Structure formats: structure tokens, C-alpha cells
């Protein structure tokens, strides 16, 4: 049984590893974040909330946004079209921003690497980036149960100004016939969706929806079709932690999605949603303190799936 003391011990354990990580320095605004923040929030399927540490500190959602954009794209285009024609469902073993596999396979390996997420973003309905973003923002607010979630304008502009590798990926995808629509409109939406401010509490709420087969624990409303929630959890387990996904599955053992803003969203089906924030990253772009918190909880409470 999870206790407040256990959460506190998990955060203390995670704090021991922060010094070995660094913030996402390739995005100027993220380089300035205090890397010593660390916190964890757990939302039970009865709606109860337990938290410890820096759970109310805003940070940009980054790649955790790919969960919401994928759900929207599945709703707009259907899973058969999306996973047959646009993206695969296999882990790559390569860094999240790698272009290597596109030269031989064309179609991105999965929707959570940058090439795959940019492709997915192009498949979301909307006449331009603003309309797509308004739909995304409405949906992420609903998933997190927080109407105050907003775009972090400074981070968005910072990412847009320095996102040359993502531009290279997008134009390569367009030339290969994979990316739909206008490249710059797609990229503008992609940079915006990654730059939304959330907290550990917000992503714990979203994770709880996924853990509860798409139903919000507090309202009882179905926000995600159960089949889509199952597909998202499967992809989180196999591809959610970039090229550290296999190691994470071995050491922690449940579906999770990370972002270079320092967040990790974890969904334990039929049990709880977890949100972690720790902006000090390991060499693969995952929160180093956040992973240690989840390792601690998995070990102490036998949370894993295997």
C-alpha cells in the first residue's frame, strides 16, 4: 500500500542522482531551469491524490504531449490508416531526434520519436497550426482536469528558433510523401504542443485516465476510447522512454512517457497514474531523478507488470 512516507523516501532517493544530470541545454529556455527541482504525484483511480516535492512547479510538457496528439490523430484518421501508412509501432534503439532510420525505412518507426510525432501532428485535423493547437489545448486540459493550462510563449519561441533538426526531419518526411500538409504549419503546431506548461499533478491526472482505460477517475467521463488507451499504454511500455525504453522496462516495468522538460507520465493499469518532475536529464533525455523515483516505487511496492 502506498503511503506518504514511501513517496517521501522515493523523492529523497531520487535527489541523490540529480547531480549526475543536466537540463536540456540545446533549448535555451530549458537550459535556464533549476535542475534541482524534483517531485512526484500519484492519482488513484478513486480520484485521491498523494504528492511530495515540487509537484506544483510548472514545466513544459515536451514529448509527453505526444500521448495527446496521438490520441487526437487516431480519432481523426483511425488507427488502421495511421499505423499502416504513416508510422510504425516498433522501438528504434536510436536517439529520439535521429534521422538515420528514415533513409532506409522512410516511415518513422514509432509515434514517439520526433519524426513520428511530427508525422502524427500533420495528421490532426485543422486548417492551420492555430486551429490544431486550439483542439490540442482543449484536449490536454480535459485529460489533465485543468482549464488553466497554457502555452509557454518563451519556450515555444525558443524551440522554434533553434529547431533546425526537427525542420530537417519534417522536410525529409514531406519529400518522402509521409508528412501531410504545409511543413512550416505542422512544425509550428508541433513546437506549440511541446511548449504547453503543466505540473506533475497534471500529468498524473492524465496518466490516471490512461490507467483507467480512458475514463476520468473523478468525473466518470470516457475521454479516450478504451482500445486507444490500450494502444497508447503498449507504446509507452515499448517506446516511451526514447532509446532507454528497454532498460526502463527491465528496471521499472510499467508504461511511461518522458519529456525533455523533465516530466514522466506513468500509467499503472487498474491501479493509478503517476506524474514525476525532475529537469535534470540523463544522456538519453529522461529525468534522472524521476527514473530513480519510479525505480524505488516499483521495487518497494511491486508495481511492475512482470
Amino acid at each position: 500500500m502506498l503511503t506518504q512516507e514511501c513517496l517521501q523516501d522515493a523523492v529523497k532517493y531520487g535527489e541523490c542522482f540529480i547531480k549526475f544530470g543536466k537540463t536540456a541545454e540545446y533549448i535555451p529556455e530549458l537550459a535556464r531551469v533549476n535542475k534541482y527541482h524534483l517531485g512526484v504525484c500519484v492519482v488513484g483511480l478513486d480520484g485521491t491524490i498523494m504528492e511530495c516535492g515540487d509537484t506544483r512547479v510548472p514545466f513544459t510538457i515536451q514529448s509527453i504531449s505526444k500521448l495527446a496528439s496521438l490520441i487526437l490523430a487516431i480519432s481523426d484518421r483511425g488507427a488502421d490508416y495511421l499505423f499502416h501508412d504513416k508510422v510504425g509501432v516498433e522501438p528504434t534503439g536510436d536517439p529520439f531526434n535521429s534521422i538515420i532510420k528514415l533513409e532506409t525505412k522512410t516511415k518513422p518507426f514509432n509515434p514517439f520519436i520526433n519524426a513520428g510525432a511530427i508525422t502524427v501532428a500533420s495528421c490532426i485535423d485543422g486548417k492551420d497550426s492555430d486551429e490544431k493547437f486550439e483542439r490540442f489545448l482543449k484536449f490536454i486540459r480535459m485529460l489533465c482536469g485543468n482549464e488553466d493550462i497554457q502555452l509557454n510563449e518563451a519556450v515555444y519561441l525558443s524551440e522554434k528558433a533553434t529547431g533546425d533538426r526537427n525542420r530537417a526531419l519534417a522536410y525529409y518526411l514531406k519529400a518522402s510523401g509521409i508528412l501531410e500538409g504545409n511543413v512550416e504549419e505542422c512544425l509550428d503546431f508541433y513546437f506549440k504542443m511541446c511548449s504547453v506548461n503543466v505540473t506533475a499533478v497534471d500529468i498524473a491526472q492524465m496518466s490516471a485516465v490512461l490507467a483507467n482505460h480512458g475514463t476520468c477517475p473523478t468525473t466518470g467521463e470516457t475521454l479516450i476510447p478504451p482500445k486507444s488507451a490500450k494502444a497508447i499504454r503498449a507504446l509507452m511500455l515499448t517506446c516511451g522512454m526514447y532509446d532507454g525504453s528497454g532498460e526502463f522496462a527491465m528496471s521499472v516495468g510499467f508504461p511511461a512517457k518522458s519529456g525533455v522538460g523533465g516530466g514522466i507520465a506513468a500509467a499503472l493499469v487498474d491501479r493509478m497514474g503517476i506524474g514525476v518532475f525532475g529537469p535534470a536529464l540523463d544522456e538519453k533525455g529522461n529525468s534522472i531523478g524521476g527514473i530513480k523515483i519510479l525505480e524505488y516505487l516499483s521495487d518497494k511496492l511491486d508495481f511492475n507488470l512482470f
Side-chain angles (χ1 to χ4, degrees), residues 93-124:
D94 296 321
F96 60 88
N97 57 359
S98 175
I99 199 171
I100 293 171
K101 292 288 197 301
L102 292 183
E103 296 180 357
T104 56
K105 298 295 183 182
T106 306
K107 188 171 73 172
F109 264 53
N110 67 69
F112 292 158
I113 57 173
N114 286 14
I118 292 168
T119 300
V120 167
S122 78
C123 295
I124 293 173

Side-chain angles (χ1 to χ4, degrees), residues 97 114 118 159 163-171 187 190-191:
N97 57 359
N114 286 14
I118 292 168
E159 291 205 32
D164 291 336
R165 182 179 285 268
N166 284 327
R167 285 191 177 84
L169 290 169
Y171 277 102
L187 283 168
Y190 178 76
F191 293 138

Side-chain angles (χ1 to χ4, degrees), residues 277-298:
F277 170 52
L281 309 178
D282 63 18
E283 69 280 1
K284 294 180 179 179
N286 298 315
S287 171
I288 195 166
I291 285 177
K292 293 302 179 181
I293 286 175
L294 295 173
E295 284 182 0
Y296 185 93
L297 293 176
S298 178

Side-chain angles (χ1 to χ4, degrees), residues 135-152:
R135 290 189 64 216
F136 171 85
L137 188 60
K138 181 179 179 181
F139 187 50
I140 205 77
R141 286 170 172 169
M142 193 163 52
L143 288 176
C144 296
N146 182 359
E147 287 297 317
D148 295 326
I149 290 174
Q150 297 287 350
L151 175 70
N152 184 320

